[in-house]
Amino acid sequence: MTIDNEASKKLPLVEHLIELRRSLLHSVTAIVIFFLILFPFADEIYTFIAAPIVQAIPGSNLIAIGVISPFLTPLKMSLILAIYIAMPYLLYQLWMFIAPALYRNEKRLVLPLVISSTILFYVGLLFSFYIVFPVIFNFLASVGPESVNFAPDIQYYLDFILKVSFAFGAAFEVPIVTILLIVFGATTAEKLKKNRPYIFIGSFVVGMVLTPPDIISQFLIAIPIWLLFEAGLFFSTFFKVRKNNPEKSATKNQPKDWSDKSHNEMMDDIEIEMNSKVISSPEKDN
């Protein structure tokens, strides 16, 4: 009986691990398929990715310091691009793994949230590539000494592009995060509205961290983050908020009344029973 009980308790955990393994395998398979498709065009892909800095520095080329950098850098770029292209499927697998813990009405949100989060992620990538990067590279090219030839290494350039573009893609998920926090009861729209000044300042802090120290590029990320936060607040009103069971919470938080009549009667009965045992024990000894 004990073994059966332990097995029944462990079974849900095993099922969750199996589901996690299945989601990871499907995600990795999708990334590998896209990588194999993109790998023959690795050089063309890197040339396209290097366009913002090449246009900002006319007549200059990127250099390769590492011995195998000309081979590994385009290869790495193809892999990262495969992950970006597979992002809708990856997000879908993530939501499907979380779905068993959701209510029926919340499961209906999976498809809209996957589509919207994917679109926002791609918009963030395009925003960084076509708007932010030209501003950043023009700024970096203008602040250096004239005697210094600005020719970045291809590996460092790729790392910078990936970090900043992914940061913008993640930052554009602010509306989805805002909606989820409100829907699942982690916070309320009223609390977020009261903390709006702190969020506004925080968006500029994020812009300062993610971009070079110029006011233009900071505004380019801070203003969209703040506007997307406001959009998340607006659209959260169209979603049903998860509520805890009020009866359970009321019972849990209800203070114990030690002056209750039934409690006093119970304590009196215990006292009478103990006194009777004390009186009867000497008689047994005699």
Side-chain angles (χ1 to χ4, degrees):
M1 187 63 133
T2 306
I3 297 176
D4 294 338
N5 291 335
E6 292 179 355
S8 63
K9 291 180 181 179
K10 293 181 179 179
L11 185 58
L13 177 60
V14 174
E15 290 179 350
H16 287 311
L17 293 176
I18 293 175
E19 184 66 21
L20 177 61
R21 175 178 173 271
R22 185 193 66 82
S23 299
L24 291 176
L25 285 176
H26 287 185
S27 300
V28 172
T29 301
I31 294 173
V32 170
I33 291 174
F34 283 113
F35 173 74
L36 293 177
I37 296 174
L38 296 174
F39 178 69
F41 310 97
D43 293 339
E44 291 79 2
I45 291 172
Y46 193 86
T47 301
F48 173 77
I49 297 300
I53 194 170
V54 173
Q55 294 174 359
I57 315 171
S60 178
N61 293 318
L62 299 178
I63 62 174
I65 298 177
V67 177
I68 58 176
S69 293
F71 171 75
L72 287 183
T73 303
L75 184 70
K76 182 179 178 181
M77 186 68 255
S78 301
L79 178 60
I80 299 301
L81 186 60
I83 295 175
Y84 285 171
I85 295 176
M87 190 59 66
Y89 187 74
L90 301 182
L91 292 174
Y92 176 76
Q93 290 296 324
L94 175 63
W95 281 110
M96 292 303 295
F97 178 72
I98 300 174
L102 304 178
Y103 295 131
R104 181 176 298 178
N105 63 314
E106 294 172 346
K107 291 181 181 179
R108 299 172 184 172
L109 302 177
V110 171
L111 185 59
L113 289 178
V114 168
I115 295 175
S116 58
S117 58
T118 302
I119 293 175
L120 288 172
F121 182 78
Y122 286 151
V123 169
L125 294 180
L126 294 175
F127 182 82
S128 64
F129 189 79
Y130 288 104
I131 297 179
V132 177
F133 287 147
V135 175
I136 292 177
F137 295 138
N138 284 322
F139 170 78
L140 294 177
S142 62
V143 296
E146 295 182 357
S147 58
V148 176
N149 185 17
F150 184 58
D153 176 62
I154 59 174
Q155 181 61 45
Y156 292 139
Y157 172 75
L158 176 61
D159 293 339
F160 178 81
I161 286 286
L162 293 180
K163 290 177 182 178
V164 176
S165 62
F166 185 81
F168 271 84
F172 272 61
E173 301 291 336
V174 169
I176 306 299
V177 176
T178 304
I179 292 173
L180 291 178
L181 290 175
I182 295 175
V183 168
F184 290 104
T187 185
T188 61
E190 289 74 19
K191 290 182 180 179
L192 291 177
K193 290 177 181 178
K194 290 180 180 179
N195 295 323
R196 182 180 279 122
Y198 302 102
I199 296 173
F200 182 76
I201 295 174
S203 63
F204 279 89
V205 173
V206 173
M208 180 180 62
V209 173
L210 296 180
T211 59
D214 66 294
I215 193 67
I216 297 177
S217 57
Q218 290 179 17
F219 268 88
L220 287 176
I221 188 172
I223 297 302
I225 289 177
W226 177 63
L227 294 177
L228 290 170
F229 165 74
E230 296 293 339
L233 281 181
F234 174 76
F235 286 106
S236 65
T237 58
F238 299 98
F239 295 88
K240 184 178 180 181
V241 180
R242 175 186 286 191
K243 295 182 179 179
N244 296 325
N245 191 341
E247 296 181 358
K248 291 183 179 180
S249 59
T251 304
K252 183 178 179 181
N253 298 327
Q254 184 178 6
K256 296 182 178 180
D257 187 4
W258 295 106
S259 62
D260 185 73
K261 182 179 178 181
S262 60
H263 178 267
N264 293 334
E265 291 177 354
M266 180 186 67
M267 295 302 295
D268 292 339
D269 294 338
I270 294 174
E271 185 178 1
I272 293 172
E273 184 180 355
M274 292 185 66
N275 290 335
S276 62
K277 289 182 179 181
V278 172
I279 294 173
S280 60
S281 59
E283 293 178 357
K284 290 181 180 180
D285 293 338
N286 295 333

